[in-house]
Amino acid sequence: MSNASSKQIAVIGAGLMGAGIAQVSAQAGHPVVLRDVTEEALQRGLAGIRASYEKFVAKGRMSAEDAEAALGRITTTTDLGAVSEADIVVEAVFEKLEVKEGVFRELDKLAKDGAVLASNTSAIPITRIAAATQRPESVVGVHFFSPVPLMKLVELVRGYKTSDETLAAARAFAEGVGKEVVVVNRDVAGFVTTRLITALVVEAAKLYESGVATAEDIDTACRLGFGHPMGPLETADLTGVDILLHAARNIYAETQDEKFAAPEIMARMVTAGDLGRKSGRGFYPYEGK
């Protein structure tokens, strides 16, 4: 499937998001370098990609040969210097400004001239990430949704100095891996999607905390009343209560808008380790599921 338009992709971070981005990039014919700080993280990421391809093959969405070829296009490394050949670098590390700034300072030194430096952030303004580099015009937000192989949407986010060329290259990449794109022209904290879901989750958690309705009834109201496939508290459990609390705090810090002030129950849940599906309990119990 490799073709003349295939670009060299580097993905920084082999967690759920990074592995998913590497997976769809390789499937679309791009050679991919997947980088993380430990060999264990890389092996976990690769195992997830392999399992996902196997599911696609079992469901007839992909041939076994294509899956094998896609896996063959992915190389792993712990060396950040491996980004030097990449046309597009996608950062998918922990959602914390200081962590991302550190990565982009290094990418600025290591990536070739003209490379697109993309961040898969869901809430941090791209302008702030770009400011860590000497080439803010090359930095763009490319916000994939989880699980990356299944979710069709990518939010492209223009930082204050992102060039039209960078945005166009990011769009071509995202559409080339089979995604539909929405463009956020001003990188306000939380962009479009994270602002909307965070406002909904915060309000739902407040209603739940104050005993107005049960979690089940709040979610049922959103599913049946608004046609949402999943209610806001179920969504929080799937995404991670910690992730949404972090997003709410980021947006609130930037905007001072009360609707993003997360209720105490979310902080208490995170402190207690009730993070949602990944920990076995969130707004709902998942033990044994």
Side-chain angles (χ1 to χ4, degrees):
M1 241 180 103
S2 212
N3 55 48
S5 67
S6 69
K7 304 250 186 233
Q8 173 77 48
I9 310 297
V11 181
I12 312 304
L16 201 58
M17 295 303 290
I21 295 164
Q23 176 180 332
V24 296
S25 300
Q27 196 173 336
H30 298 290
V32 179
V33 173
L34 181 60
R35 189 265 179 184
D36 211 311
V37 285
T38 68
E39 201 53 54
E40 296 75 44
L42 290 167
Q43 290 313 312
R44 266 199 312 276
L46 262 187
I49 294 170
R50 192 173 288 112
S52 186
Y53 281 153
E54 282 166 6
K55 266 189 206 146
F56 282 177
V57 171
K59 288 179 178 168
R61 292 180 53 182
M62 193 178 186
S63 73
E65 296 74 37
D66 282 349
E68 211 43 57
L71 269 174
R73 283 191 278 273
I74 301 172
T75 52
T76 59
T77 183
T78 54
D79 174 20
L80 195 57
V83 305
S84 63
E85 292 303 304
D87 301 299
I88 297 173
V89 183
V90 185
E91 164 275 312
V93 303
F94 187 65
E95 190 73 349
K96 206 165 191 216
L97 179 62
E98 301 72 57
V99 179
K100 291 183 186 291
E101 282 176 331
V103 170
F104 274 80
R105 266 195 291 275
E106 292 301 308
L107 294 180
D108 192 26
K109 294 179 202 146
L110 298 167
K112 67 183 183 185
D113 287 348
V116 170
L117 306 182
S119 176
N120 177 58
T121 179
S122 61
I124 299 170
I126 296 304
T127 304
R128 295 180 71 175
I129 294 171
T133 75
Q134 301 299 307
R135 40 169 136 177
E137 68 287 346
S138 298
V139 180
V140 62
V142 181
H143 175 208
F144 285 83
F145 288 73
S146 184
V148 175
L150 302 178
M151 295 289 275
K152 286 291 284 181
L153 183 66
V154 164
E155 222 174 4
L156 284 188
V157 187
R158 189 194 273 278
Y160 189 65
K161 294 193 170 174
T162 305
S163 70
D164 291 344
E165 294 73 21
T166 297
L167 195 74
R171 178 189 279 273
F173 163 64
E175 289 177 345
V177 301
K179 303 306 179 190
E180 285 199 33
V181 165
V182 296
V183 177
V184 180
N185 284 310
R186 271 186 54 225
D187 71 324
V188 294
F191 317 138
V192 172
T193 54
T194 304
R195 273 176 100 98
L196 289 170
I197 191 58
T198 302
L200 191 57
V201 168
V202 164
E203 190 55 41
K206 285 175 181 170
L207 292 169
Y208 170 72
E209 180 181 53
S210 56
V212 171
T214 63
E216 290 86 346
D217 282 357
I218 292 165
D219 282 340
T220 300
C222 289
R223 283 201 311 273
L224 302 185
F226 307 144
H228 293 180
M230 187 183 268
L233 300 178
E234 294 171 286
T235 302
D237 278 358
L238 180 64
T239 306
V241 179
D242 52 333
I243 306 274
L244 276 163
L245 177 64
H246 197 67
R249 286 176 170 168
N250 270 339
I251 299 168
Y252 181 73
E254 194 84 10
T255 63
Q256 298 300 299
D257 186 331
E258 284 302 318
K259 72 171 167 283
F260 297 109
E264 191 191 350
I265 189 160
M266 290 178 72
R268 285 168 69 83
M269 287 168 72
V270 171
T271 303
D274 288 356
L275 308 180
R277 290 190 186 207
K278 61 187 171 189
S279 71
R281 174 174 285 276
F283 288 100
Y284 298 90
Y286 299 94
E287 286 94 341
K289 285 198 178 178

PDB file of all heavy atoms in Angstrom, residues 131-163:
ATOM      1  N   ALA A 131       5.462  27.839  21.460  1.00  0.00           N
ATOM      2  CA  ALA A 131       6.384  28.844  21.994  1.00  0.00           C
ATOM      3  C   ALA A 131       7.665  28.216  22.548  1.00  0.00           C
ATOM      4  O   ALA A 131       8.668  28.906  22.750  1.00  0.00           O
ATOM      5  CB  ALA A 131       5.695  29.672  23.079  1.00  0.00           C
ATOM      6  N   ALA A 132       7.651  26.892  22.777  1.00  0.00           N
ATOM      7  CA  ALA A 132       8.855  26.197  23.249  1.00  0.00           C
ATOM      8  C   ALA A 132       9.847  25.963  22.106  1.00  0.00           C
ATOM      9  O   ALA A 132      10.955  25.490  22.321  1.00  0.00           O
ATOM     10  CB  ALA A 132       8.478  24.863  23.886  1.00  0.00           C
ATOM     11  N   THR A 133       9.440  26.301  20.862  1.00  0.00           N
ATOM     12  CA  THR A 133      10.297  26.050  19.695  1.00  0.00           C
ATOM     13  C   THR A 133      10.706  27.362  19.031  1.00  0.00           C
ATOM     14  O   THR A 133      10.135  28.414  19.307  1.00  0.00           O
ATOM     15  CB  THR A 133       9.553  25.209  18.626  1.00  0.00           C
ATOM     16  OG1 THR A 133       8.599  26.052  17.959  1.00  0.00           O
ATOM     17  CG2 THR A 133       8.830  24.025  19.238  1.00  0.00           C
ATOM     18  N   GLN A 134      11.678  27.254  18.127  1.00  0.00           N
ATOM     19  CA  GLN A 134      12.084  28.403  17.303  1.00  0.00           C
ATOM     20  C   GLN A 134      11.324  28.402  15.974  1.00  0.00           C
ATOM     21  O   GLN A 134      11.629  29.180  15.082  1.00  0.00           O
ATOM     22  CB  GLN A 134      13.594  28.323  17.004  1.00  0.00           C
ATOM     23  CG  GLN A 134      14.469  28.314  18.240  1.00  0.00           C
ATOM     24  CD  GLN A 134      14.304  29.581  19.067  1.00  0.00           C
ATOM     25  OE1 GLN A 134      14.431  30.685  18.551  1.00  0.00           O
ATOM     26  NE2 GLN A 134      14.007  29.418  20.354  1.00  0.00           N
ATOM     27  N   ARG A 135      10.363  27.473  15.829  1.00  0.00           N
ATOM     28  CA  ARG A 135       9.612  27.380  14.559  1.00  0.00           C
ATOM     29  C   ARG A 135       8.111  27.196  14.815  1.00  0.00           C
ATOM     30  O   ARG A 135       7.533  26.187  14.405  1.00  0.00           O
ATOM     31  CB  ARG A 135      10.160  26.260  13.692  1.00  0.00           C
ATOM     32  CG  ARG A 135      10.540  24.996  14.459  1.00  0.00           C
ATOM     33  CD  ARG A 135      10.821  23.827  13.532  1.00  0.00           C
ATOM     34  NE  ARG A 135      12.013  23.093  13.909  1.00  0.00           N
ATOM     35  CZ  ARG A 135      12.434  22.006  13.285  1.00  0.00           C
ATOM     36  NH1 ARG A 135      11.757  21.518  12.270  1.00  0.00           N
ATOM     37  NH2 ARG A 135      13.535  21.388  13.667  1.00  0.00           N
ATOM     38  N   PRO A 136       7.498  28.176  15.490  1.00  0.00           N
ATOM     39  CA  PRO A 136       6.083  28.031  15.834  1.00  0.00           C
ATOM     40  C   PRO A 136       5.170  27.878  14.619  1.00  0.00           C
ATOM     41  O   PRO A 136       4.079  27.323  14.728  1.00  0.00           O
ATOM     42  CB  PRO A 136       5.765  29.319  16.604  1.00  0.00           C
ATOM     43  CG  PRO A 136       6.828  30.297  16.200  1.00  0.00           C
ATOM     44  CD  PRO A 136       8.051  29.480  15.950  1.00  0.00           C
ATOM     45  N   GLU A 137       5.644  28.350  13.454  1.00  0.00           N
ATOM     46  CA  GLU A 137       4.823  28.225  12.238  1.00  0.00           C
ATOM     47  C   GLU A 137       4.651  26.754  11.827  1.00  0.00           C
ATOM     48  O   GLU A 137       3.724  26.400  11.107  1.00  0.00           O
ATOM     49  CB  GLU A 137       5.426  29.038  11.082  1.00  0.00           C
ATOM     50  CG  GLU A 137       6.741  28.540  10.524  1.00  0.00           C
ATOM     51  CD  GLU A 137       7.965  28.777  11.430  1.00  0.00           C
ATOM     52  OE1 GLU A 137       7.878  29.561  12.404  1.00  0.00           O
ATOM     53  OE2 GLU A 137       9.019  28.163  11.144  1.00  0.00           O
ATOM     54  N   SER A 138       5.560  25.874  12.311  1.00  0.00           N
ATOM     55  CA  SER A 138       5.517  24.446  11.945  1.00  0.00           C
ATOM     56  C   SER A 138       4.732  23.598  12.937  1.00  0.00           C
ATOM     57  O   SER A 138       4.617  22.387  12.761  1.00  0.00           O
ATOM     58  CB  SER A 138       6.945  23.888  11.857  1.00  0.00           C
ATOM     59  OG  SER A 138       7.655  24.570  10.861  1.00  0.00           O
ATOM     60  N   VAL A 139       4.227  24.231  13.999  1.00  0.00           N
ATOM     61  CA  VAL A 139       3.542  23.484  15.067  1.00  0.00           C
ATOM     62  C   VAL A 139       2.029  23.579  14.885  1.00  0.00           C
ATOM     63  O   VAL A 139       1.494  24.660  14.617  1.00  0.00           O
ATOM     64  CB  VAL A 139       3.961  24.011  16.459  1.00  0.00           C
ATOM     65  CG1 VAL A 139       3.254  23.234  17.575  1.00  0.00           C
ATOM     66  CG2 VAL A 139       5.485  23.912  16.632  1.00  0.00           C
ATOM     67  N   VAL A 140       1.349  22.439  15.034  1.00  0.00           N
ATOM     68  CA  VAL A 140      -0.096  22.380  14.801  1.00  0.00           C
ATOM     69  C   VAL A 140      -0.696  21.346  15.758  1.00  0.00           C
ATOM     70  O   VAL A 140      -0.012  20.396  16.163  1.00  0.00           O
ATOM     71  CB  VAL A 140      -0.389  22.014  13.318  1.00  0.00           C
ATOM     72  CG1 VAL A 140       0.162  20.638  12.959  1.00  0.00           C
ATOM     73  CG2 VAL A 140      -1.863  22.106  12.970  1.00  0.00           C
ATOM     74  N   GLY A 141      -1.945  21.514  16.111  1.00  0.00           N
ATOM     75  CA  GLY A 141      -2.645  20.513  16.919  1.00  0.00           C
ATOM     76  C   GLY A 141      -3.319  19.505  16.005  1.00  0.00           C
ATOM     77  O   GLY A 141      -4.002  19.877  15.053  1.00  0.00           O
ATOM     78  N   VAL A 142      -3.079  18.225  16.258  1.00  0.00           N
ATOM     79  CA  VAL A 142      -3.756  17.154  15.519  1.00  0.00           C
ATOM     80  C   VAL A 142      -4.355  16.239  16.576  1.00  0.00           C
ATOM     81  O   VAL A 142      -3.706  15.308  17.054  1.00  0.00           O
ATOM     82  CB  VAL A 142      -2.768  16.397  14.586  1.00  0.00           C
ATOM     83  CG1 VAL A 142      -3.495  15.308  13.809  1.00  0.00           C
ATOM     84  CG2 VAL A 142      -2.110  17.356  13.611  1.00  0.00           C
ATOM     85  N   HIS A 143      -5.583  16.556  16.971  1.00  0.00           N
ATOM     86  CA  HIS A 143      -6.223  15.887  18.110  1.00  0.00           C
ATOM     87  C   HIS A 143      -7.047  14.695  17.629  1.00  0.00           C
ATOM     88  O   HIS A 143      -8.137  14.853  17.104  1.00  0.00           O
ATOM     89  CB  HIS A 143      -7.095  16.916  18.862  1.00  0.00           C
ATOM     90  CG  HIS A 143      -7.886  16.333  19.980  1.00  0.00           C
ATOM     91  ND1 HIS A 143      -9.085  16.860  20.411  1.00  0.00           N
ATOM     92  CD2 HIS A 143      -7.660  15.249  20.769  1.00  0.00           C
ATOM     93  CE1 HIS A 143      -9.559  16.140  21.405  1.00  0.00           C
ATOM     94  NE2 HIS A 143      -8.708  15.151  21.637  1.00  0.00           N
ATOM     95  N   PHE A 144      -6.479  13.499  17.803  1.00  0.00           N
ATOM     96  CA  PHE A 144      -7.190  12.260  17.483  1.00  0.00           C
ATOM     97  C   PHE A 144      -8.098  11.890  18.656  1.00  0.00           C
ATOM     98  O   PHE A 144      -7.912  12.364  19.771  1.00  0.00           O
ATOM     99  CB  PHE A 144      -6.201  11.110  17.261  1.00  0.00           C
ATOM    100  CG  PHE A 144      -5.463  11.164  15.949  1.00  0.00           C
ATOM    101  CD1 PHE A 144      -4.320  11.958  15.808  1.00  0.00           C
ATOM    102  CD2 PHE A 144      -5.891  10.411  14.868  1.00  0.00           C
ATOM    103  CE1 PHE A 144      -3.626  11.994  14.602  1.00  0.00           C
ATOM    104  CE2 PHE A 144      -5.199  10.442  13.658  1.00  0.00           C
ATOM    105  CZ  PHE A 144      -4.069  11.231  13.524  1.00  0.00           C
ATOM    106  N   PHE A 145      -9.047  11.011  18.386  1.00  0.00           N
ATOM    107  CA  PHE A 145      -9.984  10.562  19.421  1.00  0.00           C
ATOM    108  C   PHE A 145      -9.788   9.078  19.690  1.00  0.00           C
ATOM    109  O   PHE A 145      -9.405   8.322  18.801  1.00  0.00           O
ATOM    110  CB  PHE A 145     -11.430  10.880  18.996  1.00  0.00           C
ATOM    111  CG  PHE A 145     -11.703  12.350  19.080  1.00  0.00           C
ATOM    112  CD1 PHE A 145     -11.161  13.223  18.148  1.00  0.00           C
ATOM    113  CD2 PHE A 145     -12.435  12.873  20.125  1.00  0.00           C
ATOM    114  CE1 PHE A 145     -11.340  14.587  18.253  1.00  0.00           C
ATOM    115  CE2 PHE A 145     -12.629  14.244  20.238  1.00  0.00           C
ATOM    116  CZ  PHE A 145     -12.085  15.097  19.299  1.00  0.00           C
ATOM    117  N   SER A 146     -10.054   8.680  20.908  1.00  0.00           N
ATOM    118  CA  SER A 146      -9.811   7.305  21.342  1.00  0.00           C
ATOM    119  C   SER A 146     -11.093   6.472  21.252  1.00  0.00           C
ATOM    120  O   SER A 146     -12.154   6.952  21.644  1.00  0.00           O
ATOM    121  CB  SER A 146      -9.307   7.330  22.791  1.00  0.00           C
ATOM    122  OG  SER A 146      -8.974   6.039  23.212  1.00  0.00           O
ATOM    123  N   PRO A 147     -11.004   5.219  20.787  1.00  0.00           N
ATOM    124  CA  PRO A 147      -9.829   4.550  20.212  1.00  0.00           C
ATOM    125  C   PRO A 147      -9.549   5.031  18.780  1.00  0.00           C
ATOM    126  O   PRO A 147     -10.454   5.066  17.958  1.00  0.00           O
ATOM    127  CB  PRO A 147     -10.225   3.057  20.229  1.00  0.00           C
ATOM    128  CG  PRO A 147     -11.720   3.056  20.203  1.00  0.00           C
ATOM    129  CD  PRO A 147     -12.178   4.330  20.870  1.00  0.00           C
ATOM    130  N   VAL A 148      -8.285   5.389  18.549  1.00  0.00           N
ATOM    131  CA  VAL A 148      -7.893   6.015  17.274  1.00  0.00           C
ATOM    132  C   VAL A 148      -8.294   5.191  16.042  1.00  0.00           C
ATOM    133  O   VAL A 148      -8.797   5.753  15.069  1.00  0.00           O
ATOM    134  CB  VAL A 148      -6.373   6.320  17.265  1.00  0.00           C
ATOM    135  CG1 VAL A 148      -5.927   6.863  15.916  1.00  0.00           C
ATOM    136  CG2 VAL A 148      -6.027   7.304  18.370  1.00  0.00           C
ATOM    137  N   PRO A 149      -8.114   3.855  16.049  1.00  0.00           N
ATOM    138  CA  PRO A 149      -8.458   3.110  14.827  1.00  0.00           C
ATOM    139  C   PRO A 149      -9.949   3.156  14.483  1.00  0.00           C
ATOM    140  O   PRO A 149     -10.313   2.950  13.326  1.00  0.00           O
ATOM    141  CB  PRO A 149      -8.028   1.669  15.161  1.00  0.00           C
ATOM    142  CG  PRO A 149      -7.023   1.822  16.251  1.00  0.00           C
ATOM    143  CD  PRO A 149      -7.468   2.995  17.055  1.00  0.00           C
ATOM    144  N   LEU A 150     -10.809   3.438  15.467  1.00  0.00           N
ATOM    145  CA  LEU A 150     -12.255   3.378  15.234  1.00  0.00           C
ATOM    146  C   LEU A 150     -12.915   4.749  15.122  1.00  0.00           C
ATOM    147  O   LEU A 150     -13.948   4.892  14.470  1.00  0.00           O
ATOM    148  CB  LEU A 150     -12.934   2.588  16.362  1.00  0.00           C
ATOM    149  CG  LEU A 150     -12.433   1.146  16.544  1.00  0.00           C
ATOM    150  CD1 LEU A 150     -13.143   0.490  17.719  1.00  0.00           C
ATOM    151  CD2 LEU A 150     -12.634   0.314  15.277  1.00  0.00           C
ATOM    152  N   MET A 151     -12.362   5.750  15.776  1.00  0.00           N
ATOM    153  CA  MET A 151     -13.010   7.069  15.801  1.00  0.00           C
ATOM    154  C   MET A 151     -12.625   7.879  14.562  1.00  0.00           C
ATOM    155  O   MET A 151     -11.445   8.008  14.230  1.00  0.00           O
ATOM    156  CB  MET A 151     -12.615   7.830  17.067  1.00  0.00           C
ATOM    157  CG  MET A 151     -13.125   7.168  18.337  1.00  0.00           C
ATOM    158  SD  MET A 151     -14.910   7.313  18.533  1.00  0.00           S
ATOM    159  CE  MET A 151     -15.025   8.920  19.307  1.00  0.00           C
ATOM    160  N   LYS A 152     -13.632   8.426  13.898  1.00  0.00           N
ATOM    161  CA  LYS A 152     -13.424   9.076  12.601  1.00  0.00           C
ATOM    162  C   LYS A 152     -12.899  10.510  12.689  1.00  0.00           C
ATOM    163  O   LYS A 152     -12.416  11.058  11.710  1.00  0.00           O
ATOM    164  CB  LYS A 152     -14.766   9.128  11.834  1.00  0.00           C
ATOM    165  CG  LYS A 152     -15.217   7.797  11.265  1.00  0.00           C
ATOM    166  CD  LYS A 152     -14.351   7.308  10.120  1.00  0.00           C
ATOM    167  CE  LYS A 152     -14.611   8.041   8.815  1.00  0.00           C
ATOM    168  NZ  LYS A 152     -13.762   7.500   7.723  1.00  0.00           N
ATOM    169  N   LEU A 153     -13.039  11.136  13.849  1.00  0.00           N
ATOM    170  CA  LEU A 153     -12.786  12.580  13.937  1.00  0.00           C
ATOM    171  C   LEU A 153     -11.337  12.923  14.273  1.00  0.00           C
ATOM    172  O   LEU A 153     -10.707  12.264  15.096  1.00  0.00           O
ATOM    173  CB  LEU A 153     -13.706  13.189  15.007  1.00  0.00           C
ATOM    174  CG  LEU A 153     -13.639  14.705  15.180  1.00  0.00           C
ATOM    175  CD1 LEU A 153     -14.149  15.433  13.943  1.00  0.00           C
ATOM    176  CD2 LEU A 153     -14.469  15.134  16.394  1.00  0.00           C
ATOM    177  N   VAL A 154     -10.837  13.972  13.629  1.00  0.00           N
ATOM    178  CA  VAL A 154      -9.590  14.622  14.046  1.00  0.00           C
ATOM    179  C   VAL A 154      -9.848  16.123  14.097  1.00  0.00           C
ATOM    180  O   VAL A 154     -10.393  16.704  13.155  1.00  0.00           O
ATOM    181  CB  VAL A 154      -8.417  14.321  13.088  1.00  0.00           C
ATOM    182  CG1 VAL A 154      -7.262  15.292  13.309  1.00  0.00           C
ATOM    183  CG2 VAL A 154      -7.915  12.894  13.278  1.00  0.00           C
ATOM    184  N   GLU A 155      -9.473  16.721  15.211  1.00  0.00           N
ATOM    185  CA  GLU A 155      -9.580  18.168  15.384  1.00  0.00           C
ATOM    186  C   GLU A 155      -8.214  18.767  15.034  1.00  0.00           C
ATOM    187  O   GLU A 155      -7.224  18.464  15.684  1.00  0.00           O
ATOM    188  CB  GLU A 155      -9.885  18.442  16.867  1.00  0.00           C
ATOM    189  CG  GLU A 155     -10.900  19.473  17.129  1.00  0.00           C
ATOM    190  CD  GLU A 155     -11.250  19.580  18.618  1.00  0.00           C
ATOM    191  OE1 GLU A 155     -10.648  18.909  19.476  1.00  0.00           O
ATOM    192  OE2 GLU A 155     -12.134  20.376  18.910  1.00  0.00           O
ATOM    193  N   LEU A 156      -8.159  19.580  13.984  1.00  0.00           N
ATOM    194  CA  LEU A 156      -6.913  20.263  13.625  1.00  0.00           C
ATOM    195  C   LEU A 156      -6.941  21.632  14.274  1.00  0.00           C
ATOM    196  O   LEU A 156      -7.922  22.366  14.126  1.00  0.00           O
ATOM    197  CB  LEU A 156      -6.821  20.461  12.117  1.00  0.00           C
ATOM    198  CG  LEU A 156      -6.464  19.275  11.242  1.00  0.00           C
ATOM    199  CD1 LEU A 156      -6.239  19.764   9.826  1.00  0.00           C
ATOM    200  CD2 LEU A 156      -5.230  18.558  11.747  1.00  0.00           C
ATOM    201  N   VAL A 157      -5.881  21.967  14.977  1.00  0.00           N
ATOM    202  CA  VAL A 157      -5.887  23.216  15.745  1.00  0.00           C
ATOM    203  C   VAL A 157      -4.756  24.123  15.278  1.00  0.00           C
ATOM    204  O   VAL A 157      -3.579  23.752  15.313  1.00  0.00           O
ATOM    205  CB  VAL A 157      -5.753  22.931  17.252  1.00  0.00           C
ATOM    206  CG1 VAL A 157      -5.926  24.225  18.038  1.00  0.00           C
ATOM    207  CG2 VAL A 157      -6.782  21.896  17.700  1.00  0.00           C
ATOM    208  N   ARG A 158      -5.134  25.317  14.864  1.00  0.00           N
ATOM    209  CA  ARG A 158      -4.173  26.310  14.398  1.00  0.00           C
ATOM    210  C   ARG A 158      -3.691  27.137  15.586  1.00  0.00           C
ATOM    211  O   ARG A 158      -4.497  27.758  16.285  1.00  0.00           O
ATOM    212  CB  ARG A 158      -4.887  27.207  13.390  1.00  0.00           C
ATOM    213  CG  ARG A 158      -3.990  28.169  12.647  1.00  0.00           C
ATOM    214  CD  ARG A 158      -4.848  29.210  11.944  1.00  0.00           C
ATOM    215  NE  ARG A 158      -5.292  28.808  10.631  1.00  0.00           N
ATOM    216  CZ  ARG A 158      -4.558  28.911   9.520  1.00  0.00           C
ATOM    217  NH1 ARG A 158      -3.335  29.369   9.572  1.00  0.00           N
ATOM    218  NH2 ARG A 158      -5.051  28.563   8.354  1.00  0.00           N
ATOM    219  N   GLY A 159      -2.391  27.114  15.836  1.00  0.00           N
ATOM    220  CA  GLY A 159      -1.823  28.000  16.843  1.00  0.00           C
ATOM    221  C   GLY A 159      -1.747  29.417  16.283  1.00  0.00           C
ATOM    222  O   GLY A 159      -2.020  29.643  15.091  1.00  0.00           O
ATOM    223  N   TYR A 160      -1.362  30.380  17.109  1.00  0.00           N
ATOM    224  CA  TYR A 160      -1.327  31.783  16.684  1.00  0.00           C
ATOM    225  C   TYR A 160      -0.424  31.976  15.471  1.00  0.00           C
ATOM    226  O   TYR A 160      -0.690  32.798  14.594  1.00  0.00           O
ATOM    227  CB  TYR A 160      -0.853  32.654  17.853  1.00  0.00           C
ATOM    228  CG  TYR A 160      -0.985  34.132  17.604  1.00  0.00           C
ATOM    229  CD1 TYR A 160      -2.239  34.718  17.438  1.00  0.00           C
ATOM    230  CD2 TYR A 160       0.140  34.946  17.533  1.00  0.00           C
ATOM    231  CE1 TYR A 160      -2.365  36.080  17.201  1.00  0.00           C
ATOM    232  CE2 TYR A 160       0.029  36.311  17.306  1.00  0.00           C
ATOM    233  CZ  TYR A 160      -1.229  36.869  17.142  1.00  0.00           C
ATOM    234  OH  TYR A 160      -1.350  38.213  16.906  1.00  0.00           O
ATOM    235  N   LYS A 161       0.666  31.162  15.397  1.00  0.00           N
ATOM    236  CA  LYS A 161       1.620  31.343  14.295  1.00  0.00           C
ATOM    237  C   LYS A 161       1.652  30.179  13.306  1.00  0.00           C
ATOM    238  O   LYS A 161       2.499  30.167  12.404  1.00  0.00           O
ATOM    239  CB  LYS A 161       3.024  31.577  14.867  1.00  0.00           C
ATOM    240  CG  LYS A 161       3.124  32.892  15.624  1.00  0.00           C
ATOM    241  CD  LYS A 161       4.550  33.281  15.922  1.00  0.00           C
ATOM    242  CE  LYS A 161       4.619  34.698  16.457  1.00  0.00           C
ATOM    243  NZ  LYS A 161       5.980  35.062  16.886  1.00  0.00           N
ATOM    244  N   THR A 162       0.770  29.203  13.453  1.00  0.00           N
ATOM    245  CA  THR A 162       0.757  28.049  12.529  1.00  0.00           C
ATOM    246  C   THR A 162       0.558  28.524  11.095  1.00  0.00           C
ATOM    247  O   THR A 162      -0.368  29.285  10.811  1.00  0.00           O
ATOM    248  CB  THR A 162      -0.378  27.072  12.892  1.00  0.00           C
ATOM    249  OG1 THR A 162      -0.254  26.688  14.261  1.00  0.00           O
ATOM    250  CG2 THR A 162      -0.326  25.822  12.016  1.00  0.00           C
ATOM    251  N   SER A 163       1.426  28.057  10.188  1.00  0.00           N
ATOM    252  CA  SER A 163       1.318  28.504   8.784  1.00  0.00           C
ATOM    253  C   SER A 163       0.238  27.714   8.046  1.00  0.00           C
ATOM    254  O   SER A 163      -0.138  26.616   8.452  1.00  0.00           O
ATOM    255  CB  SER A 163       2.655  28.312   8.067  1.00  0.00           C
ATOM    256  OG  SER A 163       2.908  26.925   7.885  1.00  0.00           O
TER     257      SER A 163
END
